[in-house]
Amino acid sequence: MNTTNTSTPSTRKIVRMLKSSKKISKLIPWYMLKAKINEYIPWKKSAWITSSLPVELLWGFDIFPLHPENNACVSGARKVSLDLIEYAESLGFCRDVCSYMKTNVGAYDKKISIKMGGIAKPDFVVTAGTICDTHVKWFQTQARRMNVPIYVFDVPHIVNHTSESTKKRYKDYVISQIYDFFDFMEDTIGKKMNEKKMLKTWENSRSLSDLWQKIYEYRKKIPTPVGYADTLGDIFPLVLLPGIKKGIKYFEDLLKEVEDYVALGKGILPKEEEKYRLMFEGIPMWYRIKFFHQLMNYGAIVTYEPYTFSFGPSRPYVDNLEDGLKVMADRMMYQPYIYNLSDRIAYFKDIIENYQIDGVLLHENMSCRPSCTGMYDLKQKIQQDLGIPVLLFTCDMNDPRAYAEEQMQTRIESFIEVLEQSKSKRLNS
Amino acid sequence: MKTFAYFDSTHEFPEEIIIAAQMNPYKILGKADFSTELADQYIPQFICANARSFLNQAIEESSNWEGIAIAHGCDATNRQFDIWDQHVKTQFLYYIHNPLKTDEIAQHFFIGEIKAMILALESHFNIKITLDQLEKAIQVSNQIKILLQNLSKLRITKDISNSEYFDVLKFTMQNPKKKVLPYLKSISIDWLARNPFPINKHPIFLTGSDITHSLWFELLEKVNLRVVRDDLSIGERYFATLIPTDKDPISNIAKYYLNIPRSSTKHPTNPRIKYILKACKKEKIHGVISQIIKFCETFAYDTPFLKSQLEVIQVPVIHLEREYTENIDQQISTRLEAFVELLEQPQ
Amino acid sequence: MYTVGIDIGSLATKIVLMKDGKIKALLENRSLHNFTAIGTQLFHQILKDNNLTSDDIGNIYSTGYGRHSISKLTSNIITEISAHARGAQYFYPKVQGIIDIGGQDSKVIKLNPKSSTVIDFQMNDKCAAGTGRFLEVMADALDIPIENLGNLALQSKSPVQISSTCTVFAESEVIGHFAQGTAKQDIAAGIHNSIAKRVASMVKRIQIVEPIVFCGGVALNPAVKIALENELKLKLLVPKYPQYIGAIGAALIAKERFKNGRV
């Protein structure tokens, strides 16, 4: 991956991001240290959890959450994922299965350091089929290999036209499973839920989401004060630390800086340089984050990602367990990353309008087939109904073998040309 | 008789409800010509071709169907439902969630799902689906399953080709049950009179993704591999267990679908492996063919585990990834022949 | 007794004539998409060269991609897997693993250390990336004759990374490196490392142990052997005539299966 085509404009030396976002480099080691300490204290328990499930579920039991997806993307960003993937393939996991899963198999077996995306053996794993079959199969496989208990949530999918009464039934089903999970925690793991702690966790989590919503709101400004280089790291507290004060402090600093930027009319790119505001759908290519910095060389900046937004949806205030579980069930069932096609189209249209989006990038991610399904229709609707250019490109989030340097370069450059024409046409009309 | 079509990724759709509604439940399995071009406009090529072929058929043939249901099994079912909603012309498109697990919570939920579907059918088609009709539908279904069980057993003792077995199952899943019953009875007479199991054939267990065309079975036949046991949906999964009759029909149906031989799409996965191991121990299975259609992830994840478990009981296994094509795949042919040579070499 | 083994590969057809299990003559030619014609032609030529007629031959076996296409000529067929397993033992009786990289297929075979029978095998997925075809495409992209590719790679001190496993994408990566003025030998070395990685993952899947025979036309290329050895941290044995191992195996099996007539 050490190639840069001569035709590629050189990458800016400084990655443009907020100062506060850089503090993530303190927060992550803090979490890692906690994880490490946790590993060595026998009475402290930890669990692996997937991104479709709220981590509050674990914090409320005083269980330390470990997040294989998060660790896998660390391996991707540290450029060690390929080795791990190839290792998993040598065990017989085929080329076409999820690159996160294979990264996790490699990272666990090879005991790589936590800094490179390594992950410790948990006391149990908990997963759900909300986003994909992979979440279930991956954790099944690893629970078996590590010989630890597993709890699987069966979450029915909300498709086009799912009626309100059906949604209600689905929600009841999910809530019954949450209670069943509590039994599992007590019987199998030997942990009782601490209701007070759970409520406190929800409250903290709500504050965190609220801050996230506010930060996102400011991305509507031209020039945008928050770029993808920021949000990519910023989601970390949302993924792993909802319910933890540390995350809130981090977001407060972030929001403060964003507000200052806005007051001064400052942006990640200066106003005159911010030519194209983009929306990026999918999980980024972690091993090739440079892609997004390169976009900025053309005056194109990613200002909205359903993926990062998904981690911090707004949530109501709750003061009792019953209501809290309902909110949690909602979150487990539906979020932008898994919207059904009609909601997804409506959501995109809404964002394009509100965030003044000039173009949409759709990552057809070979490691996430569910997210790719419907992208052709989505693309067509956006182009047809809004006249906004859409670039759909096939790649992979953690497997660098899928990234074809030259093809990508050509695609970006052509897309920028299309954006230019489209924008001037729109401005003229 | 009116036809009601369904798409399920294994054997998930409770077809008894459709029988009770006096319609013919038709399992969508793609067209004979392996076409996917129409569906390829809407679904990426790196998604399972079975699902693409189903959509393709639906786009072309949905006018022959009164309605369509999609039952959740794998990601393809829920995610592609919306694409069917956009591009398949039909008056009635329904989605039903078949649970991942088998516990009481799941059963209770599935009963609710079935009841909701009954209501939706009643209201759309302006009919009444009575408990009595459901009981009768269960009876018919069980009669068919018993006949298939008996036919299936003949695979071990008689000369019944792979594709004959497949064709019988496909016929059963796509035709009115009134036609199916006499058809299966006549097949029974035919198969009972067959020659004994040919000595040059190797009895094998076939597992993995569902196979929707007989071509692949012919390929196995050509290299002298005879499928005598399997756990496919267009196979034993469809008839290995009977629908219970001890409770009310809806509970019985719900219970049945959660207790059939498990597919890789369900949790946990061990029962699936156990079913295979048990069959291998019970019959004189020479080897196991584990195959997936390219991009069928759920089964792909289980492959290394299955392989390791078969190694423990010393049953040879070959794992293959196949494309969806009407052409004989030369490389797969070679692998299968080599597998046969491996089975035949002196130990 | 004379036996003949014909290995009709996707790119080249190889034929071997053996007398009492010893090599008498070898011949090869491009397959040129007419398996029947090339197989028949080579068969008649090898007979003519050795002053033999068809009646002198005890048994004839064919193997390879086109093994079914000369059924008029042969007594029986055998797959490349069994043929390579047997052929490798001709040179190295104690062989336990075989890596064969041919034109369109590559395979790894694991043998039982006691009985020398095949216990397991792997073949490449449907993609040219781990095969001889990959090297041909890359040599073309670099505009050098395929025979020189290996030696060129051996001169490299800092190989580039070719990360795409898709042949088409890898080709454009190569062109990209070329455009940047990267030295040809470094690109060539990157290409060899890439094919080695691909094949190594198959090897790891069934975990073969030494002694390992490396054969197939690609084994003639010294750089692939070294790259594979580095990747696997194992020593590979390249037999004399590595491209003929399949044909030799077929001829040997032809001899062993002969029982008072062609079988």
Side-chain angles (χ1 to χ4, degrees), chain B residues 76-336:
Chain B
T77 48
N78 60 295
R79 277 295 181 154
Q80 290 175 28
F81 177 90
D82 302 342
I83 292 174
W84 287 56
D85 180 44
Q86 298 269 330
H87 303 290
V88 176
K89 285 195 183 78
T90 180
Q91 293 294 314
F92 184 80
L93 182 67
Y94 195 80
Y95 179 74
I96 179 165
H97 182 87
N98 180 311
L100 197 62
K101 299 182 285 185
T102 56
D103 56 17
E104 264 177 48
I105 301 172
Q107 267 190 46
H108 174 79
F109 168 77
F110 197 38
I111 290 169
E113 272 295 87
I114 295 173
K115 283 183 178 162
M117 186 170 83
I118 290 174
L119 281 177
L121 287 165
E122 285 179 336
S123 119
H124 178 82
F125 292 104
N126 199 19
I127 50 167
K128 189 83 196 127
I129 299 172
T130 64
L131 290 182
D132 187 46
Q133 282 168 330
L134 285 167
E135 300 268 14
K136 282 198 181 118
I138 291 175
Q139 269 176 27
V140 171
S141 237
N142 277 342
Q143 277 171 358
I144 288 171
K145 289 180 201 301
I146 291 168
L147 282 165
L148 288 170
Q149 285 173 1
N150 293 333
L151 283 174
S152 168
K153 278 183 204 143
L154 293 175
R155 290 187 288 169
I156 300 161
T157 53
K158 298 283 185 184
D159 186 6
I160 293 136
S161 78
N162 295 332
S163 52
E164 282 176 302
Y165 168 71
F166 172 78
D167 290 342
V168 163
L169 280 155
K170 190 172 172 183
F171 185 90
T172 305
M173 291 175 199
Q174 294 193 321
N175 286 282
K177 304 302 175 204
K178 269 188 192 140
K179 230 165 116 181
V180 171
L181 279 167
Y183 166 78
L184 291 179
K185 282 174 190 159
S186 76
I187 296 282
S188 299
I189 297 168
D190 172 15
W191 285 14
L192 275 167
R194 290 289 178 89
N195 287 332
F197 190 89
I199 43 164
N200 65 329
K201 302 270 177 188
H202 292 278
I204 56 147
F205 189 102
L206 180 62
T207 185
S209 318
D210 281 327
I211 300 170
T212 52
H213 286 73
S214 60
L215 190 85
W216 221 77
F217 288 94
E218 286 159 21
L219 183 64
L220 295 177
E221 194 74 47
K222 263 193 197 132
V223 297
N224 289 334
L225 293 170
R226 197 42 91 65
V227 180
V228 297
R229 292 295 305 272
D230 67 88
D231 68 344
L232 306 180
S233 311
I234 309 148
E236 289 186 29
R237 188 172 292 129
Y238 184 78
F239 59 76
T241 37
L242 295 181
I243 306 171
T245 48
D246 56 336
K247 286 192 183 135
D248 69 283
I250 295 175
S251 304
N252 288 335
I253 291 169
K255 194 170 178 191
Y256 165 78
Y257 281 94
L258 299 190
N259 288 289
I260 54 172
R262 306 291 278 168
S263 127
S264 278
T265 52
K266 300 295 181 189
H267 178 75
T269 200
N270 289 13
R272 173 181 169 234
I273 309 293
K274 275 190 195 145
Y275 188 86
I276 301 169
L277 298 181
K278 199 175 151 193
C280 288
K281 284 180 194 156
K282 192 171 164 227
E283 322 294 352
K284 280 191 181 130
I285 300 286
H286 288 188
V288 173
I289 310 273
S290 149
Q291 50 72 45
I292 59 166
I293 187 161
K294 200 150 168 59
F295 310 121
C296 175
E297 286 189 71
T298 47
F299 281 93
Y301 284 114
D302 284 346
T303 308
F305 180 53
L306 173 64
K307 211 175 162 200
S308 69
Q309 294 301 296
L310 286 165
E311 272 164 16
V312 172
I313 62 163
Q314 293 184 319
V315 173
V317 53
I318 183 170
H319 178 73
L320 300 164
E321 271 179 46
R322 65 188 161 85
E323 309 262 342
Y324 185 77
T325 165
E326 59 191 320
N327 303 314
I328 292 279
D329 182 322
Q330 190 58 44
Q331 206 205 37
I332 287 207
S333 216
T334 302
R335 288 193 210 195
L336 287 169

Side-chain angles (χ1 to χ4, degrees), chain A residues 34-241:
Chain A
K34 286 274 275 186
K36 202 78 205 158
I37 294 169
N38 205 79
E39 209 182 320
Y40 291 105
I41 304 177
W43 61 87
K44 284 272 182 193
K45 296 204 179 217
S46 67
W48 285 11
I49 190 166
T50 56
S51 56
S52 51
L53 288 171
V55 259
E56 294 93 318
L57 210 52
L58 297 178
W59 286 121
F61 280 90
D62 199 21
I63 300 283
F64 193 80
L66 298 168
H67 210 292
E69 283 156 90
N70 183 68
N71 295 47
C73 73
V74 171
S75 299
R78 300 271 186 184
K79 307 204 195 295
V80 295
S81 58
L82 181 57
D83 261 0
L84 306 173
I85 290 168
E86 284 177 344
Y87 164 81
E89 285 173 358
S90 77
L91 299 180
F93 292 104
C94 88
R95 281 191 71 81
D96 300 319
V97 302
C98 171
S99 57
Y100 271 178
M101 186 272 182
K102 285 184 284 189
T103 303
N104 171 254
V105 167
Y108 180 80
D109 283 17
K110 291 185 151 199
K111 297 189 167 38
I112 62 165
S113 78
I114 189 165
K115 254 186 161 167
M116 302 310 270
I119 190 161
K121 182 179 174 177
D123 293 287
F124 69 99
V125 303
V126 54
T127 186
T130 318
I131 294 178
C132 56
D133 295 331
T134 293
H135 278 159
V136 176
K137 299 309 292 178
W138 170 0
F139 278 46
Q140 267 181 357
T141 305
Q142 287 293 60
R144 184 174 58 232
R145 296 177 81 238
M146 301 185 294
N147 195 22
V148 298
I150 176 172
Y151 190 89
V152 177
F153 280 95
D154 179 26
V155 182
H157 300 91
I158 294 169
V159 295
N160 277 8
H161 316 298
T162 298
S163 68
E164 286 310 313
S165 62
T166 302
K167 281 182 196 166
K168 163 92 177 44
R169 228 162 13 82
Y170 286 0
K171 194 161 154 179
D172 290 344
Y173 179 42
V174 172
I175 291 171
S176 321
Q177 291 177 74
I178 298 177
Y179 281 111
D180 187 47
F181 174 74
F182 291 169
D183 291 345
F184 163 86
M185 288 302 292
E186 210 172 321
D187 302 342
T188 312
I189 310 304
K191 278 268 185 185
K192 271 197 174 181
M193 201 244 305
N194 179 337
E195 194 171 333
K196 219 171 140 191
K197 182 153 190 184
M198 188 67 101
L199 285 170
K200 184 76 202 146
T201 305
W202 280 332
E203 183 42 28
N204 284 336
S205 180
R206 192 178 70 91
S207 312
L208 194 71
S209 285
D210 278 357
L211 287 163
W212 188 239
Q213 300 277 319
K214 279 184 191 145
I215 293 166
Y216 241 90
E217 193 62 26
Y218 281 117
R219 296 184 89 185
K220 288 179 182 168
K221 297 279 176 201
I222 297 177
T224 180
V226 187
Y228 202 5
D230 298 294
T231 53
L232 273 176
D234 296 343
I235 55 170
F236 175 77
L238 292 162
V239 176
L240 275 158
L241 311 175

Side-chain angles (χ1 to χ4, degrees), chain C residues 219-237:
Chain C
L220 291 167
N221 176 330
V224 176
K225 175 177 180 269
I226 293 169
L228 255 176
E229 287 182 328
N230 289 341
E231 190 64 36
L232 292 169
K233 303 193 175 59
L234 289 168
K235 279 270 160 248
L236 303 182
L237 306 163

